[in-house]
Amino acid sequence: MSAKDSKDYIDKLLQQTYERHGSDLHICSGIFPVIRRDGQLETLTELTAPLAGEDIHAFIMKTLLNEAQQKELQKTGSADAGYQIWSKDGRAIRCRVNAFRDANGMALAFRLIQNRIPSMQELRIPGPLQDIRHRKHGMVIITGPTGSGKTTTLAALLDAINAESPVHIITIEQPIEYQFQMKRAVISQREVGRDCISFLEGLRASLRQDPDVILIGEMRDAETITTALAAAETGHLVFTTLHSANAVEAIDRLVQYFPATRHQEIRNELANSFLAIAAQKLLPSRNGGRVAAFEVLLSTDSTKNVIRSSQGFRIQDYMHRDEGMQTMAESIRGLRNKHLIDG
C-alpha cells in the first residue's frame, strides 16, 4: 500500500469513528482497528483487512509527523501530533494523535476532539469549581486518568472566562485541542513542538507576554511545576492537569517530582498558591453517553494546613460540603440520586 493509500484508509477509519460517535480510534499493526464509544472498545471487524506495520509507518512518516516530531519518535518511542480531515457533512474532524512503537511495530492512538466547547452547565461542573474563574491568581489543578475529560473541563472554564472578562489568556498545549474564538478575552494558543520547544520554555516565555490567565496542558517536570507555582503566587490564574485518581494522589504526585530535601518547600508553595484540585472520572449515563463525577478540594485554612503537614491522607476529613467541597463518593452518590447513572 502506498503512503497515499495508507492515508486514505486511515481517513476512512476516522470518518467511521466520527459517524459512530466514537471518542478514540486505535490502529495497531496486523489487527483490526478498534474504536472507543461511550467508554467501551468496539472492533471494526467489517473492514476488509488490518493495516500492515509498514503502512502505518508510511502514514506516520509521510503524513502525520514533522521533522521535529519524527526525531522525538526516534528518541523516545512516541510522539504527539495533531491531525484533521473533513467529514462528509463538511465539518472538521480534528484529532490528537500519539504515534508509538510497540512489540509489533508502529501504532496510532487518535483522540477525536469536539469542535464545540461545551458549557460548564452541560458538563455539570460543580458550582464552587465554576466560581474559581472569577479569581485573579492561584493554581487550579484538574486531575484524572487519561480520557477522563480533563481537557474538556478546562476548555469550558476558560471559555467562560473568555466570555466574561477582558483578560489575556495564554495556553501551552501539546497539541492544541479545542480552538477558542475570541470573545471578551485576547487568547494566544501555543503548541509545544510548533510554537515553543517545551511546556517549560512556553511557560517561561508566557510570563513576558503580559498574561492574566495561563493554561499549562500538563506539568511533566520539577522546573515546570516550580515556575507554575511561582506564576500562581505572583498574580496569575494558572490552570493545569495531572494524572492521578484523586486529590490526595495529585498532591503526592506533584511533590514526588522533587528530591526529598525539597518536599516540604513544595508542599508549602502548593498550600500557598492552590485554589482548587478537582479529580474527575467519566461514568456511563443512563441516557447514553457518559457523565462526569467530580471530587473537589478547595483552599481553606484547614486544607492548606493539612498539605503543609505532610498528612495528605487526612485531606478528606477536611472536605466539608458546607465549604463547597465534595469527595468522589459523594459526587457519584449525587449522580445516582438524580438518576443520571445506574447503581
Side-chain angles (χ1 to χ4, degrees):
M1 186 181 293
S2 69
K4 182 182 184 303
D5 290 339
S6 298
K7 179 186 184 306
D8 291 344
Y9 188 79
I10 288 173
D11 287 355
K12 289 177 182 178
L13 293 176
L14 286 169
Q15 181 73 43
Q16 290 194 39
T17 306
Y18 169 79
E19 291 173 354
R20 297 180 186 212
H21 305 290
S23 61
D24 301 81
L25 168 66
H26 297 277
I27 300 174
C28 300
S29 176
I31 67 170
F32 284 102
V34 173
I35 69 170
R36 186 180 296 275
R37 180 166 58 173
D38 294 341
Q40 303 299 313
L41 294 179
E42 302 175 8
T43 303
L44 300 178
T45 53
E46 68 273 22
L47 296 173
T48 55
L51 270 175
E54 56 268 26
D55 298 325
I56 299 173
H57 185 269
F59 172 80
I60 291 171
M61 295 303 184
K62 303 287 187 183
T63 302
L64 182 64
L65 301 184
N66 60 31
E67 184 177 348
Q69 292 163 338
Q70 290 179 26
K71 289 180 179 177
E72 180 71 13
L73 176 64
Q74 293 166 358
K75 178 181 178 181
T76 68
S78 68
D80 293 315
Y83 188 65
Q84 176 177 303
I85 65 169
W86 294 93
S87 69
K88 293 176 182 176
D89 56 7
R91 298 182 181 182
I93 302 174
R94 298 177 54 245
C95 306
R96 180 183 74 199
V97 194
N98 184 263
F100 60 98
R101 290 194 298 265
D102 67 10
N104 296 316
M106 300 304 301
L108 292 160
F110 291 83
R111 165 66 52 82
L112 274 65
I113 301 166
Q114 299 296 321
N115 291 315
R116 187 182 72 85
I117 300 173
S119 70
M120 298 183 296
Q121 292 73 29
E122 288 176 276
L123 297 177
R124 301 179 181 274
I125 296 174
L129 186 57
Q130 294 186 31
D131 293 342
I132 293 292
R133 73 188 188 278
H134 300 302
R135 303 292 289 272
K136 300 301 181 184
H137 64 88
M139 178 176 285
V140 179
I141 301 172
I142 307 296
T143 190
T146 300
S148 60
K150 300 184 295 295
T151 300
T152 302
T153 295
L154 285 173
L157 289 167
L158 286 185
D159 204 42
I161 295 173
N162 179 28
E164 298 168 355
S165 303
V167 296
H168 184 198
I169 300 171
I170 296 178
T171 75
I172 307 158
E173 306 170 71
Q174 189 182 31
I176 290 171
E177 298 195 24
Y178 289 98
Q179 293 182 329
F180 294 92
Q181 301 299 316
M182 294 189 198
K183 298 171 185 176
R184 295 196 67 196
V186 175
I187 303 180
S188 307
Q189 291 187 261
R190 306 191 71 203
E191 185 169 301
V192 173
R194 185 192 69 187
D195 306 314
C196 53
I197 62 173
S198 67
F199 283 110
L200 176 60
E201 292 306 317
L203 175 56
R204 284 174 172 167
S206 74
L207 299 176
R208 301 189 296 272
Q209 295 158 2
D210 187 34
D212 299 289
V213 180
I214 304 170
L215 167 67
I216 309 164
E218 189 174 348
M219 295 194 296
R220 297 178 175 176
D221 58 75
E223 283 188 280
T224 303
I225 294 168
T226 300
T227 308
L229 288 169
E233 286 192 88
T234 56
H236 305 89
L237 183 58
V238 178
F239 292 88
T240 190
T241 70
L242 287 173
H243 293 278
S244 66
N246 54 51
V248 173
E249 288 186 16
I251 296 166
D252 291 341
R253 176 169 292 239
L254 189 146
V255 171
Q256 292 304 317
Y257 279 103
F258 297 85
T261 54
R262 294 193 63 192
H263 284 185
Q264 189 57 54
E265 171 195 346
I266 298 304
R267 287 184 178 277
N268 290 340
E269 290 187 19
L270 177 62
N272 291 337
S273 64
F274 96 99
L275 297 174
I277 301 174
Q280 66 181 79
K281 64 171 63 174
L282 293 177
L283 303 171
S285 170
R286 293 184 67 180
N287 301 317
R290 292 186 289 175
V291 62
F294 293 89
E295 177 174 274
V296 180
L297 172 68
L298 299 176
S299 175
T300 66
D301 289 342
S302 297
T303 57
K304 288 190 288 187
N305 287 335
V306 172
I307 291 173
R308 291 190 187 102
S309 69
S310 305
Q311 294 184 335
F313 60 90
R314 298 179 55 208
I315 205 86
Q316 288 194 352
D317 296 337
Y318 297 89
M319 293 174 65
H320 303 309
R321 292 187 65 84
D322 59 357
E323 294 180 298
M325 291 179 271
Q326 65 182 20
T327 65
M328 184 62 73
E330 289 170 336
S331 177
I332 292 172
R333 186 161 56 246
L335 294 174
R336 287 185 181 130
N337 291 341
K338 293 175 182 176
H339 306 292
L340 294 171
I341 62 174
D342 292 322

